[in-house]
Amino acid sequence: MPEEKTEKKTRKSRKTGDGEKKKRKTRKTGQAALPSIPPDNELDRLYEQLLLNLGVGEDQKNAMRMMDKTQKWTMICQSKEELLTTTPQHFIEILKSTGITLKNAEKLRVALVHENMAWLQKFIDLDGVKLFFTKFKQLLESPSKTEVVLELITEFVLSAKGLLNVK
């Protein structure tokens, strides 16, 4: 019997080792998928715009300016990806789909509470409010009130509150 436990531990550690190798490969693949780094002046312009959008203080900006080109470009690309997944159109597509994940419901709540009026107007123009309340009604009428459904309902309540508190 003690031999079996030793064998299981050995297998487990091998699996962990493989998992770590996979993570390293994924990171390399993710970096290789980035578009090529633009010329220095364009990179600097995009990076300064990113720093402005992040709203960080001057001390932090100065520290971040010391990053190498690859780090700056990675941050710029990640920021662009984030922008694509927080557009009103993106949330409209999510609300039109048959299901919604808790993560997407949370992102929608944050967007409805924190985005500017132009973003909100675009969401309204695309019938986002109608789609939002239709999806909310579906959740409320769901026959199975699983923990996930209840969490989604909570997110939708908070989103509605944020939507109705827009100034």
Side-chain angles (χ1 to χ4, degrees), residues 102-113:
L102 186 56
K103 184 177 179 178
N104 283 334
E106 290 169 348
K107 284 183 175 183
L108 176 59
R109 174 182 47 82
V110 170
L112 290 172
V113 171

Side-chain angles (χ1 to χ4, degrees), residues 13 15 25 35 43 50 52 59 66-67 77 88 90 98-99 102 108 115 123 148 151:
S13 65
K15 285 181 184 176
K25 287 179 185 175
L43 179 68
L50 174 66
L52 183 66
D59 290 342
M66 304 310 280
M67 292 178 155
C77 291
H90 176 75
T98 55
L102 186 56
L108 176 59
E115 286 292 345
F123 185 77
V148 173
E151 288 179 30

Side-chain angles (χ1 to χ4, degrees), residues 14-28:
R14 278 189 222 138
K15 285 181 184 176
T16 305
D18 290 346
E20 286 181 26
K21 286 180 185 175
K22 278 186 179 179
K23 284 182 184 176
R24 281 190 217 118
K25 287 179 185 175
T26 304
R27 284 188 192 132
K28 287 179 184 174

Side-chain angles (χ1 to χ4, degrees), residues 39-125:
D40 288 351
N41 59 345
E42 179 67 4
L43 179 68
D44 290 340
R45 185 188 68 74
L46 291 169
Y47 196 66
E48 286 301 317
Q49 183 62 47
L50 174 66
L51 294 177
L52 183 66
N53 292 345
L54 291 174
V56 296
E58 268 316 303
D59 290 342
Q60 194 172 2
K61 281 182 185 178
N62 289 332
M64 292 174 77
R65 286 180 182 121
M66 304 310 280
M67 292 178 155
D68 67 39
K69 290 180 185 182
T70 305
Q71 290 174 314
K72 288 178 180 179
W73 185 236
T74 300
M75 285 183 67
I76 291 166
C77 291
Q78 287 172 343
S79 174
K80 286 180 181 179
E81 280 179 29
E82 185 64 28
L83 284 174
L84 290 175
T85 62
T86 57
T87 62
Q89 296 85 343
H90 176 75
F91 287 114
I92 296 301
E93 292 304 314
I94 289 170
L95 290 169
K96 284 181 178 178
S97 69
T98 55
I100 185 167
T101 65
L102 186 56
K103 184 177 179 178
N104 283 334
E106 290 169 348
K107 284 183 175 183
L108 176 59
R109 174 182 47 82
V110 170
L112 290 172
V113 171
H114 296 290
E115 286 292 345
N116 60 38
M117 286 303 292
W119 187 98
L120 188 58
Q121 188 60 53
K122 183 71 172 174
F123 185 77
I124 292 167
D125 292 345

Side-chain angles (χ1 to χ4, degrees), residues 1-11:
M1 287 256 179
E3 290 176 26
E4 283 181 35
K5 286 183 181 178
T6 306
E7 180 60 29
K8 284 182 182 178
K9 283 182 183 177
T10 306
R11 281 187 203 145

